Amino acid sequence: TLPKSKLKEEDYNEFYKSISHDSENPLAYIHTKSEGVSTYTTLFFIPKKAPFDMYRVDYQPGVKLYVKRVFITDDDKELLPTYLRFVKGVIDSEDLPLNVSREILQENKILANIKQGSIKKILSEIKKMGEDEAKYSEFYKEFGRALKEGAYQDYTNKEAILELLRYKSTKAEGMTSFASYKDRANSEQKAIYYIVGENEKIIKSSPLLESYKKADIEVLILDDKEIDEIITPALREFQGWELKDISSCEAPKVEKSEEEKKETEEKYHSIVDKIKSALSEEVKDVKISDRLSESPSCLVKDSSDPMASMAHMFRAMGQEMPEAKPILEINADHEIIKKLNGCPDEALIGEVAHLLLESARLSGGYEIKDPVSFASRLNKLMTKVF
């Protein structure tokens, strides 16, 4: 309740340690006194480290509510949204009644105003923190995942939260924002492209990136698959630019004309049908690829398949459902496909078709469903070669 002018940083640090039981100083603090429609004081702290139990269901938030300096509650989720559960601090209201109950808090307009004002102040401080790259990197490493939850949950503050998100990239060093991505993009580009996976190294080697590298288009690397796969499709856009998953959208324009494409499709029509027949239980379709320049094959999702969007919804609810079958794309310019085309040995075509699928799974960061069969096919093929 003291004026900021009478307080030193040591005062804030000591107060933080007394309410949080943290041995370290906070990364940042936000001290606000509001007078007007509602009169209240808030003092929020952002810790340096995320609590070990922050992602557990029974995690207790660290903000306490007071009314005229009388303690009311420290466990009510109406004080701040769940994605800001890492914030510690106090709210002291002059306007709420002292006998306020939890049920009243949930519908109280005064508290709703305090909550929205507090969210905006905290998000504003986090944005300000972004001016110091090293400090923001420290913050984002600990709490970036929670901000992604916020972009998904908090429609009112969605745009402000989107500005705070950071991702790895095929072009930028370190982490980059959506806004910086837009600034680097060429004038004709009107989408933000991304790829999701579990391992940065594997993602950066994905065949799906080949056409984007050739077209000099930046792709964001989302390597926190557990949350990115659910949340990012739901974000849809940033400042008018659609967010596009490169595993399900069309590849950048290729240099081949429509006539050349048609000739290629006719030339390889037979082998495409044979591969499709061999893999009928495992893939939805087999196509000649526009996106590959080095790899023989890759897997893509069918963006029009309702199963794909339903899978995201079910995962968001913590439930599993059968995955939609992928589409296998093959590279007609690759030596394997050229040699396979016109091959009279139907059994060999079947074996190679499965190897093309399994190698596409591996390069895409997916698990091989039957490692024993994969090893057996590989051994058979090596025996024939030697």
Side-chain angles (χ1 to χ4, degrees):
T1 59
L2 293 172
K4 293 182 192 179
S5 58
K6 291 188 177 181
L7 294 167
K8 297 178 182 178
E9 189 163 340
E10 305 91 80
D11 298 318
Y12 286 107
N13 291 342
E14 287 304 313
F15 186 74
Y16 166 73
K17 289 174 182 176
S18 73
I19 65 167
S20 69
H21 310 295
D22 193 346
S23 59
E24 291 190 85
N25 292 332
L27 191 63
Y29 59 83
I30 309 107
H31 191 181
T32 306
K33 186 170 180 65
S34 177
E35 294 176 326
V37 178
S38 300
T39 301
Y40 61 90
T41 301
T42 58
L43 178 51
F44 298 121
F45 297 92
I46 297 173
K48 282 188 177 177
K49 299 289 181 185
F52 72 92
D53 59 346
M54 192 172 89
Y55 294 102
R56 282 174 45 173
V57 179
D58 59 351
Y59 175 71
Q60 293 295 315
V63 175
K64 296 174 168 60
L65 174 66
Y66 291 77
V67 173
K68 296 174 183 172
R69 287 159 295 287
V70 175
F71 174 69
I72 303 298
T73 182
D74 62 353
D75 64 353
D76 198 286
K77 292 180 174 60
E78 296 304 310
L79 303 181
L80 282 179
T82 56
Y83 69 89
L84 292 177
R85 59 191 175 277
F86 56 87
V87 174
K88 309 290 184 184
V90 295
I91 297 171
D92 184 28
S93 170
E94 294 292 322
D95 304 318
L96 286 167
L98 282 169
N99 62 348
V100 66
S101 66
R102 176 174 290 183
E103 290 72 25
I104 293 172
L105 280 176
Q106 290 173 349
E107 299 175 2
N108 190 279
K109 289 184 179 179
I110 295 171
L111 188 62
N113 289 335
I114 294 173
K115 181 178 179 180
Q116 272 308 314
S118 298
I119 293 169
K120 291 184 185 302
K121 283 286 183 182
I122 292 167
L123 295 179
S124 176
E125 179 62 30
I126 294 172
K127 184 178 181 179
K128 185 180 173 184
M129 203 188 298
E131 296 168 9
D132 182 335
E133 197 171 311
K135 189 175 183 180
Y136 196 75
S137 177
E138 185 182 353
F139 162 81
Y140 199 81
K141 182 182 175 183
E142 299 294 323
F143 306 113
R145 201 177 214 222
L147 289 182
K148 289 177 185 178
E149 290 177 25
Y152 180 73
Q153 297 168 356
D154 188 351
Y155 186 79
T156 303
N157 298 290
K158 178 183 173 183
E159 289 302 317
I161 299 169
L162 287 179
E163 291 181 17
L164 305 176
L165 301 184
R166 299 290 185 270
Y167 298 98
K168 294 168 187 171
S169 163
T170 54
K171 283 193 175 183
E173 289 292 324
M175 306 286 275
T176 190
S177 64
F178 287 139
S180 297
Y181 178 104
K182 281 183 66 178
D183 291 341
R184 287 190 295 271
N186 64 56
S187 57
E188 295 178 5
Q189 189 178 329
K190 295 299 176 190
I192 295 173
Y193 296 97
Y194 68 89
I195 180 171
V196 181
E198 292 177 346
N199 183 293
E200 181 186 357
K201 188 175 180 181
I202 293 174
I203 297 172
K204 285 188 172 180
S205 303
S206 171
L208 297 174
L209 290 170
E210 290 174 12
S211 59
Y212 291 86
K213 288 175 183 174
K214 197 171 182 182
D216 194 31
I217 293 175
E218 182 176 2
V219 179
L220 298 179
I221 307 295
L222 280 56
D223 59 354
D224 191 359
K225 187 177 180 181
E226 190 178 74
I227 190 166
D228 288 330
E229 196 171 45
I230 296 168
I231 285 176
T232 316
L235 301 182
R236 298 188 182 276
E237 62 157 23
F238 174 74
Q239 295 180 358
W241 281 39
E242 188 179 354
L243 301 178
K244 290 189 175 184
D245 182 349
I246 68 168
S247 69
S248 59
C249 71
E250 286 186 17
K253 291 179 181 178
V254 290
E255 296 166 4
K256 288 182 180 179
S257 65
E258 289 301 318
E259 193 174 322
E260 287 175 307
K261 284 186 192 177
K262 192 175 180 181
E263 284 178 11
T264 302
E265 286 172 4
E266 287 175 358
K267 182 178 178 180
Y268 289 92
H269 175 74
S270 175
I271 193 63
V272 166
D273 281 351
K274 288 175 182 177
I275 293 173
K276 195 184 298 185
S277 176
L279 302 176
S280 60
E281 296 297 314
E282 298 181 74
V283 300
K284 185 174 183 179
D285 200 2
V286 178
K287 296 179 179 178
I288 297 295
S289 182
D290 284 338
R291 69 182 82 229
L292 297 173
S293 56
E294 298 172 16
S295 304
S297 60
C298 70
L299 288 174
V300 298
K301 302 170 192 168
D302 183 355
S303 59
S304 63
D305 190 337
M307 286 281 286
S309 58
M310 283 176 68
H312 288 308
M313 288 170 59
F314 270 72
R315 277 195 293 273
M317 294 184 287
Q319 300 176 27
E320 285 299 320
M321 69 170 288
E323 287 288 335
K325 287 184 180 179
I327 296 169
L328 179 70
E329 292 193 359
I330 57 173
N331 180 5
D333 295 324
H334 198 280
E335 204 60 32
I336 292 176
I337 307 302
K338 286 179 180 178
K339 288 183 177 178
L340 206 59
N341 193 33
C343 173
D345 190 339
E346 298 286 336
L348 179 62
I349 291 172
E351 295 293 324
V352 175
H354 279 90
L355 286 174
L356 286 170
L357 173 61
E358 285 153 356
S359 65
R361 279 199 178 114
L362 281 174
S363 59
Y366 302 101
E367 289 185 6
I368 293 177
K369 293 181 179 178
D370 189 348
V372 175
S373 296
F374 172 69
S376 176
R377 288 191 184 97
L378 203 56
N379 291 336
K380 280 182 188 176
L381 199 61
M382 286 193 290
T383 301
K384 289 186 178 183
V385 170
F386 296 110

